[in-house]
Amino acid sequence: MKLLTLSNSCPRWHDGGLLPRSPGGLVPMLIALLAEHGGHWVFTAPPGSAPAGPVQLADGVRLHPLELAEEARRQHYDTVSIGLLLGLLHYLHDTSTQPVVDGDMAAAWTGYEAVNRTYANRLGELAGNSADELVLINDPHLMLVPEFYAAQGERANRLAYFLGTPWCEPDYFSILPSWMRTKILESLLRCDVVGFHAGRWVDAFLACCRRYLPDATIDGWTVSHRGRTTRMVAVPFPLDVDAVERVRQEPATAVWQGRLAALAGGRRILTRADRLDLWKNMTRGFLAYEAMLERRPELAGECWFASIATVPSRATARHDAYRAENEAIVRRINERFGSPDREAVSLIYPGTGGDSRNSVIAALGMCDAALVNSTYDGLNLFAKEAALVLPDSASLLLSENAGVHEQLGRFAVPIDPFDIGGTSTAMEAALDGRTAQAGGVAGRRALLRAESAGQWLEAVFAPAGFRGAAGRLGIAV
């Protein structure tokens, strides 16, 4: 089997091998798959970091970093991928004024197309177009690669596009101009498989196809369009349980446990860990905690809210404003309910060093409740880490709009992410120990331990009838 994968997400490598960043998510999973099967990985390199050519690693993996000019990066990444598409798929646009599809956006879209065409051309150069070849495209940054790749001629390999984000309903999708939304849908339907983390995102995608592609025929989770058939799959990324366990045993985790214990000062702990993405809904989480303390001020002396946050690599002005807003709320809560030597809420930035995951695993191992209140989230890896690492008596408060809710909802306390009052009440009950452990601790851990990158690959490609690769992977189809 030959595996080719394309992503905006960038791996790290050292001494001839790939270095995972975390115990789960796209990059570590691709590392695991390529380490097992070998193959090619095409990705966007950070500015100024791309080597002169491909990087051959010792385990049969060849990396192909693409260096983008700054203007192309701004158009493709900042304006279209982040500003337009991620805002769309996560319902972040204020439709009274956004998005602004004017001449500047049209120029940026041309840049988005150009980068996607560059990826497709590189894929065409690398692909052997054989029956035992799997091509996996990831990230909303590359939605037009299937169309440009298909224009190169007939193919015999199997092509899958996996979207780690949510997908929005047709009414919201309509805020894109018709030519743009049609181009996106038609490009994705050039694939044999389109995958998501949750069935609700599949249903939303199919609803968009049904409304905006009148010549498409939809039968269950299959779309027939202009002579091609595309299957939908809902397969959440696995959690690398062994990697989590290694992190738990690392010295850096013990160091973080000491730091966090000193900050907690013997209090019960509510924790969350997020990148400062707008859909993570940190603001409402802090407001819910503040409402809890307003009802019961004595809990400020008994409980502590530890929020661990990382900053996006290319933060926008909106990200900066979001960060400032959350920091202001945290200051206000501490002024009202904390003391100079003991905060009621701590916003902790572990930085970009290698121990950022250690801080998260350390916090989960010692807390009484973990909070995930995303407005809309494709999956949410932190929830899976929490389901594995939380003490037996601790509760997972989980947004009903996180994709992982389909997998872990029966083991968690459901949260309406827009209901501050309801979230506040759930926090209080969890910190008081009044929340029953839904579904059983052993059940949720067993579910996570049964996952693997290989099974994920099987689930993505086998439903499309790809028997050649299935046989090599030991898959019964």
Side-chain angles (χ1 to χ4, degrees), residues 1-4 127-135 149 154-159 192 461 464-472:
M1 187 193 81
K2 182 180 180 181
L3 178 62
L4 284 79
N129 199 21
S130 60
D132 66 344
E133 185 174 71
L134 302 182
V135 180
Y149 179 53
E154 293 297 319
R155 58 178 177 81
N157 53 21
R158 303 300 291 183
L159 180 63
D192 300 294
F461 280 99
F466 189 44
R467 298 179 183 272
R472 287 171 174 79

Side-chain angles (χ1 to χ4, degrees), residues 66-389:
L66 296 182
E67 181 70 75
L68 303 181
E70 182 55 32
E71 179 62 9
R73 192 182 299 272
R74 183 190 67 79
Q75 291 179 330
H76 167 259
Y77 184 88
D78 297 331
T79 303
V80 176
S81 300
I82 304 300
L84 178 64
L85 296 178
L86 284 186
L88 172 80
L89 298 174
H90 291 91
Y91 295 91
L92 292 175
H93 293 303
D94 176 358
T95 57
S96 65
T97 58
Q98 299 169 330
V100 178
V101 184
D102 56 6
D104 290 341
M105 179 61 74
W109 183 262
T110 300
Y112 179 81
E113 288 184 324
V115 171
N116 276 251
R117 188 176 285 107
T118 298
Y119 267 90
N121 290 342
R122 183 61 59 89
L123 173 59
E125 295 166 0
L126 299 172
N129 199 21
S130 60
D132 66 344
E133 185 174 71
L134 302 182
V135 180
L136 176 63
I137 304 172
N138 311 276
D139 299 327
H141 310 68
L142 304 178
M143 285 187 177
L144 302 186
V145 170
E147 176 186 345
F148 295 140
Y149 179 53
Q152 299 175 19
E154 293 297 319
R155 58 178 177 81
N157 53 21
R158 303 300 291 183
L159 180 63
Y161 191 103
F162 195 88
L163 212 69
T165 66
W167 193 272
C168 60
E169 295 291 335
D171 285 346
Y172 200 79
F173 196 60
S174 71
I175 68 178
L176 293 184
S178 60
W179 61 266
M180 191 181 290
R181 59 179 181 251
T182 300
K183 196 172 187 69
I184 289 171
L185 294 174
E186 290 184 344
S187 177
L188 296 181
L189 292 181
R190 294 281 195 164
C191 299
D192 300 294
V193 181
V194 174
F196 298 89
H197 288 300
R200 65 181 293 185
W201 313 138
V202 172
D203 292 338
F205 178 80
L206 291 173
C208 288
C209 292
R210 186 176 291 110
R211 181 176 301 186
Y212 299 117
L213 298 179
D215 54 345
T217 301
I218 300 171
D219 181 10
W221 276 16
T222 300
V223 182
S224 299
H225 183 255
R226 299 184 181 176
R228 290 208 56 83
T229 299
T230 304
R231 292 285 302 274
M232 305 292 128
V233 295
V235 192
F237 282 165
L239 179 69
D240 188 335
V241 172
D242 291 340
V244 174
E245 296 300 341
R246 286 194 298 271
V247 172
R248 293 179 80 171
Q249 302 304 317
E250 289 174 352
T253 303
V255 171
W256 271 105
Q257 288 171 337
R259 293 177 185 171
L260 296 172
L263 291 169
R267 293 173 290 176
R268 300 189 295 277
I269 302 172
L270 170 68
T271 194
R272 68 179 300 152
D274 314 271
R275 191 169 66 175
L276 278 166
D277 290 320
L278 304 176
W279 57 86
K280 297 301 184 180
N281 204 23
M282 293 174 66
T283 303
R284 289 189 182 91
F286 291 136
L287 293 176
Y289 197 76
E290 184 177 36
M292 182 194 77
L293 296 181
E294 287 172 345
R295 288 193 306 275
R296 294 179 58 189
E298 75 278 6
L299 290 181
E302 301 172 12
C303 303
W304 174 54
F305 188 0
S307 178
I308 299 172
T310 55
V311 180
S313 57
R314 285 175 69 93
T316 66
R318 198 173 178 191
H319 284 113
D320 292 340
Y322 179 68
R323 176 176 179 172
E325 179 183 11
N326 282 290
E327 290 175 347
I329 294 172
V330 168
R331 283 194 301 271
R332 183 182 72 215
I333 295 173
N334 285 324
E335 288 168 359
R336 296 182 65 192
F337 300 103
S339 62
D341 58 345
R342 194 158 77 161
E343 294 182 328
V345 178
S346 296
L347 187 49
I348 300 167
Y349 297 104
T352 57
D355 68 346
S356 60
R357 296 313 301 172
N358 299 90
S359 66
V360 175
I361 300 303
L364 284 173
M366 57 197 298
C367 73
D368 299 271
L371 174 66
V372 174
N373 69 322
S374 315
T375 53
Y376 294 94
D377 217 339
L379 181 69
N380 195 284
L381 176 65
F382 172 72
K384 300 189 81 165
E385 293 174 335
L388 180 71
V389 176

Side-chain angles (χ1 to χ4, degrees), residues 268 368-369 393 395 397 413 425-435:
R268 300 189 295 277
D368 299 271
S393 60
S395 301
L397 311 182
V413 177
T425 300
M427 288 176 175
E428 182 180 349
L431 291 170
D432 278 346
R434 294 184 280 110
T435 301

